[in-house]
């Protein structure tokens, strides 16, 4: 389930509708926002299956005039560190100018029959700001198949700060549209900040 909008009251209502520890999530997000006005937001809850357990996770994305705020809340079962179940909430505040990429991947069925404005069946929103990178290395080689020299390593670094996937089948068409609307608002904010 994802909800998007532009008001503090709307954000609070979307968090409450998600039903996922709303008091905890709202307090963390509102503390991170402070007194800034909300430009856009997206609340996305997903359920995952981990061995014999069902786990829930909520991501709240908020765009203000100067910052992009990310909040994640996860629930954990009792373990060696806690005799009772617990939740972990984290927020990160990123200056708009630090966002280096906003990638929107769309999956469209029957592309030969695509009609502009039709929502894709799946959207993956990936946002990079340089906090987390993935480094993929492999041994380097030369063109000589008989060469046994050590040529070191070659690789690539990929920004991997946030990736959020929504689908029409799993989340509904409204969620897909809401994710696209938030992605557009974020892209516009980063373009405005680059001028």
């Amino acid at each position: 389930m994802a909800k998007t909008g532009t008001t503090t009251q709307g954000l609070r209502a979307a968090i409450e509708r998600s039903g996922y520890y709303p008091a905890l999530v709202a307090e963390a997000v509102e503390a991170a926002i402070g007194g800034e006005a909300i430009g856009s937001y997206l609340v996305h809850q997903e359920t995952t299956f981990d061995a014999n357990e069902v786990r829930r996770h909520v991501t709240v994305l908020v765009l203000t005039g100067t910052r992009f705020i990310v909040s994640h809340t996860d629930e954990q079962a009792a373990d060696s560190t806690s005799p009772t179940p617990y939740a972990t909430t984290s927020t990160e505040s990123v200056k708009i100018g630090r966002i280096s990429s906003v990638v929107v991947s769309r999956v469209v069925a029957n592309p030969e029959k695509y009609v502009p404005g039709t929502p894709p069946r799946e959207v993956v929103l990936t946002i990079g700001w340089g906090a987390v990178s993935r480094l993929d290395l492999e041994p380097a080689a030369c063109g000589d198949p008989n060469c046994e020299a050590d040529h070191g390593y070659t690789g690539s670094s990929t920004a991997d700060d946030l990736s959020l996937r929504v689908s029409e089948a799993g989340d509904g068409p409204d969620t897909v549209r809401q994710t696209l609307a938030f992605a557009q608002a974020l892209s516009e904010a980063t373009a405005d900040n680059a001028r």
Side-chain angles (χ1 to χ4, degrees), residues 8-84:
T8 303
Q9 296 84 5
L11 173 59
R12 172 66 85 136
I15 291 170
E16 288 175 4
R17 275 192 305 277
S18 78
Y20 185 79
Y21 308 121
L24 174 66
V25 173
E27 180 180 54
V29 171
E30 289 167 1
I33 294 168
E36 283 194 85
I38 295 172
S40 185
Y41 64 82
L42 179 67
V43 177
H44 181 255
Q45 181 187 331
E46 65 181 313
T47 302
T48 58
F49 300 94
D50 182 17
N52 295 330
E53 296 180 16
V54 176
R55 294 189 186 216
R56 297 178 299 161
H57 174 90
V58 69
T59 301
V60 179
L61 308 178
V62 179
L63 181 61
T64 71
T66 62
R67 298 178 299 145
F68 167 63
I69 297 164
V70 181
S71 175
H72 295 286
T73 303
D74 292 289
E75 62 185 357
Q76 306 293 329
D79 59 22
S80 62
T81 64
S82 175
T84 60

Side-chain angles (χ1 to χ4, degrees), residues 97-175:
R98 289 215 33 228
I99 295 177
S100 56
S101 65
V102 178
V103 180
V104 180
S105 300
R106 302 165 190 240
V107 177
V108 177
N110 301 313
E112 70 281 357
K113 297 178 184 177
Y114 178 76
V115 176
T118 304
R121 71 177 191 202
E122 181 178 313
V123 171
V124 178
L125 172 60
T126 305
I127 304 164
W129 58 89
V132 178
S133 293
R134 183 179 65 240
L135 187 61
D136 295 318
L137 294 175
E138 61 184 45
C142 66
D144 181 358
N146 297 319
C147 180
E148 295 181 13
D150 182 355
H151 295 285
Y153 289 88
T154 186
S156 62
S157 176
T158 307
D160 201 18
D161 294 312
L162 175 74
S163 189
L164 184 86
R165 178 187 171 271
V166 297
S167 69
E168 182 181 52
D171 302 292
D174 286 343
T175 299

